[in-house]
Amino acid sequence: MVSRVIPVDLFDLVIFGGTGDLARRKILPGLYRRFLDGQIPEDSRIIAAARSEMDDAGYRDMIREAIVEFVSKDKQDKTCIEKFLSRLAYVQVDATGTDGWDELAEKMRDGVVRAFYFSVGPSLFGAIAERLHAYHIADEDSRIVVEKPFGHDLATARALNQTLAEHFDETQIYRIDHYLGKETVQNLMAVRFANMLFEPLWNARNIDHIQITVAETVGVGGRGGYYDKSGAMRDMVQNHLMQLLCLIAMEPPYAFEPDAVRDEKLKVIRALDPVEPDDIVRGQYGAGEGGTSYLDDVENRDSRTESYIAMKLHVANWRWKGTPFYLRTGKRLRARTSEIAIVFKDPPHSIFGDQETHKSNVLVIRLQPNEGMNLKVTIKEPGPGGMRLVEVPLDMSFKEALGPDAEDIPDAYERLIMDVIRGNQTLFMRGDEIEASWAWTDPIIEGWEARGDRPVSYDPGSSGPEDALMLMHKDGRRWREVKV
Ligand code: BG6
């Protein structure tokens, strides 16, 4: 098969926090896979900058181990791993001091793309950005990549934006939301805007409601300190689920270009109605199924932080008036499943009498596992016995439909880092988008803090709290079953 991978330009990528968990689990293994695929020019360089005392050889050993641990066995090619490792260097840098910066400056080459990945806590963003300029390491073509959490609320997100803006233009800032790098998430745009079939029906006249589910089986063990200060609302809804909602609800952008897409997403966030307290269910997992409870995991017996949230939202504009969006996400649930379900309305009149004609069409876009699409349609049940209706799925797994090309879908991080090198911001969040999202999130969180609301408990391995079922039942609807 002819490779369809197009190599990116030659680059020097500096990873601040290059010895951290994200770098070892995602960034470096992802870069290795792109290297293996021939997408990274051999002369490109990856320079890890961190506080620990280490030399190039020590860093290469660390990343060799990370590749063995986090890259699938069939992709562990010894020669290629060593070639990749030879592209790595390490510089010991004091982010808030002076040590190491001159050395880093000396390593940068002219005439190649310079990118700086801030895989560090947001409290260091300002100090690093400032030094990149003070030591002439960054220039006006350089790109910086920043991770979530991008702020804890509107005020902190705004302050971060201002800090970065002092040193970099918005066109140089790549704020990562890794959900935007997922194959199916991008496919949402292809499905909507490259087909004539769906868009004419994509509105409140034809769609009864939309469900977005991101269910995880893992708990918060190991990240309790961070998670307990965030909860599902800040950790998942404000960013990942919000991005999914935007891609479903937005108007067609005039082009698949960064600001055209991001302008439309921003309009959706700004059109969100405030959420009524009765339209939110927060949950916390208890102990069971061989696991500890949330309270034990975060070592805080009084925690009121939610590990599960379900909510009903309204996008107040012409297209969506009257079509609710139901969102749910949580940890320690029955299965790891993420999907978007577009539930269409019933036909306005049944010509088949009062037999079950209420089986509505549902378009399901599966994000994980087994990326694909499923459209439920009603047909006649085969055989004699008159006109009996039956619901059947038109099911498509991308892997089955596209064969080997879809076998090897790059991880979200790989794709996004390559986009940084290409200078394409389409799949990154703009500063105003993040601020708008916090502006919508803040009053909701402030509301439950002011009322002293406590999350309800749910059984691990279940599909979440009972109250979340009621959120739908009271509207005469129900959640789709999360398949194991
Ligand atoms: C991260 C959250 O951003 O996304 C985690 O901080 C969550 O809590 C993760 O587990 C989910 O990502 P994915 O790609 O596994 O669905």
Side-chain angles (χ1 to χ4, degrees):
M1 195 177 64
V2 182
S3 169
R4 288 194 282 127
V5 171
I6 302 168
V8 293
D9 290 340
L10 200 61
F11 64 83
D12 281 349
L13 170 66
V14 179
I15 306 174
F16 293 101
T19 53
D21 192 54
L22 183 73
R24 290 188 322 103
R25 257 181 333 107
K26 293 280 183 191
I27 306 175
L28 271 307
L31 285 164
Y32 163 71
R33 280 189 293 259
R34 293 296 90 224
F35 187 77
L36 179 71
D37 242 7
Q39 195 163 17
I40 295 186
E42 289 210 0
D43 276 348
S44 290
R45 280 193 322 198
I46 298 157
I47 302 160
R51 188 181 274 272
S52 333
E53 199 179 329
M54 203 183 278
D55 57 10
D56 290 353
Y59 188 65
R60 287 172 188 160
D61 288 344
M62 176 190 244
I63 299 309
R64 187 181 294 106
E65 277 170 31
I67 291 175
V68 169
E69 188 175 350
F70 298 113
V71 172
S72 60
K73 294 274 169 283
D74 59 315
K75 292 199 181 289
Q76 293 186 20
D77 177 294
K78 275 213 164 65
T79 323
C80 189
I81 293 179
E82 292 312 314
K83 239 192 215 166
F84 174 73
L85 294 176
S86 74
R87 309 316 308 154
L88 307 189
Y90 183 83
V91 183
Q92 187 182 356
V93 161
D94 178 0
T96 53
T98 52
D99 289 352
W101 291 95
D102 283 326
E103 196 191 330
L104 183 59
E106 274 165 30
K107 287 206 183 300
M108 306 307 293
R109 294 174 296 177
D110 288 332
V112 305
V113 173
R114 292 184 184 189
F116 303 92
Y117 201 126
F118 290 23
S119 183
V120 293
S123 60
L124 294 178
F125 287 3
I128 294 176
E130 192 187 319
R131 283 162 181 74
L132 285 177
H133 280 285
Y135 288 84
H136 306 290
I137 299 171
D139 56 29
E140 66 278 11
D141 292 327
S142 298
R143 291 129 213 198
I144 61 167
V145 185
V146 291
E147 271 291 333
K148 78 175 263 273
F150 197 88
H152 186 71
D153 51 21
L154 177 58
T156 47
R158 209 174 253 163
L160 274 182
N161 275 335
Q162 280 164 1
T163 304
L164 295 179
E166 281 169 26
H167 305 284
F168 293 95
D169 187 72
E170 182 63 33
T171 55
Q172 298 178 280
I173 304 173
Y174 290 71
R175 296 178 193 78
I176 284 206
D177 182 312
H178 79 280
Y179 267 56
L180 288 176
K182 287 184 189 276
E183 184 73 12
T184 323
V185 175
Q186 295 172 66
N187 229 326
L188 247 177
M189 284 186 275
V191 166
R192 285 194 61 193
F193 305 127
N195 294 286
M196 195 52 207
L197 198 58
F198 300 111
E199 201 45 31
L201 301 176
W202 211 260
N203 55 47
R205 277 189 302 287
N206 304 295
I207 295 178
D208 178 71
H209 72 279
I210 288 165
Q211 302 184 15
I212 304 178
T213 301
V214 178
E216 298 184 273
T217 50
V218 291
V220 300
R223 302 167 72 216
Y226 151 77
Y227 193 92
D228 203 36
K229 292 198 194 72
S230 302
M233 184 71 170
R234 289 189 170 101
D235 185 53
M236 295 295 286
V237 176
Q238 184 273 341
N239 35 69
H240 305 325
L241 276 80
M242 179 69 79
Q243 290 296 321
L244 298 180
L245 180 133
C246 284
L247 297 180
I248 299 164
M250 72 183 187
E251 296 301 315
Y254 65 83
F256 188 56
E257 282 171 9
D259 281 336
V261 171
R262 298 187 298 178
D263 285 347
E264 296 307 335
K265 287 199 290 166
L266 179 63
K267 286 184 208 159
V268 173
I269 304 172
R270 291 200 172 139
L272 285 174
D273 270 344
V275 184
E276 299 294 328
D278 282 353
D279 287 338
I280 301 183
V281 175
R282 296 163 68 229
Q284 231 179 34
Y285 58 83
E289 293 237 317
T292 39
S293 69
Y294 177 82
L295 297 177
D296 287 330
D297 283 351
V298 299
E299 296 174 7
N300 176 6
R301 304 302 310 169
D302 298 323
S303 173
R304 295 185 177 190
T305 304
E306 74 288 349
S307 62
Y308 175 99
I309 190 164
M311 60 201 314
K312 177 164 83 166
L313 313 188
H314 290 283
V315 180
N317 63 19
W318 276 44
R319 187 188 280 262
W320 294 115
K321 179 80 189 165
T323 294
F325 287 68
Y326 297 90
L327 273 51
R328 61 178 167 163
T329 182
K331 305 230 178 253
R332 298 272 342 253
L333 297 174
R334 187 184 306 153
R336 179 170 188 255
T337 322
S338 302
E339 63 166 44
I340 295 161
I342 316 289
V343 182
F344 288 88
K345 289 188 171 166
D346 291 343
H349 165 72
S350 167
I351 65 165
F352 302 109
D354 39 347
Q355 63 164 311
E356 299 169 60
T357 50
H358 56 269
K359 289 185 175 112
S360 35
N361 298 123
V362 183
L363 172 68
V364 177
I365 299 166
R366 285 191 303 268
L367 267 58
Q368 54 199 27
N370 188 18
E371 290 114 328
M373 280 170 54
N374 179 316
L375 179 63
K376 277 204 294 178
V377 292
T378 302
I379 61 163
K380 176 190 170 300
E381 194 174 21
M387 180 62 90
R388 281 197 312 270
L389 301 178
V390 63
E391 196 178 56
V392 291
L394 291 178
D395 201 11
M396 182 184 65
S397 144
F398 294 155
K399 281 194 180 143
E400 283 164 21
L402 301 173
D405 278 357
E407 284 291 327
D408 213 15
I409 295 174
D411 171 84
Y413 275 94
E414 294 169 42
R415 180 190 316 268
L416 293 174
I417 297 172
M418 291 301 97
D419 276 357
V420 173
I421 307 298
R422 288 192 198 99
N424 185 344
Q425 288 185 305
T426 311
L427 299 176
F428 295 84
M429 292 175 299
R430 211 167 51 191
D432 52 2
E433 247 184 281
I434 296 205
E435 289 186 15
S437 181
W438 280 120
W440 172 83
T441 310
D442 276 3
I444 299 173
I445 296 178
E446 283 159 13
W448 71 54
E449 282 176 353
R451 289 189 303 275
D453 289 355
R454 280 184 180 279
V456 292
S457 180
Y458 63 94
D459 292 334
S462 69
S463 51
E466 288 285 311
D467 294 14
L469 303 181
M470 289 312 298
L471 182 73
M472 288 284 245
H473 285 178
K474 71 182 186 199
D475 293 346
R477 301 182 172 108
R478 62 191 170 84
W479 293 105
R480 282 171 44 79
E481 205 180 318
V482 173
K483 296 262 164 40
V484 181

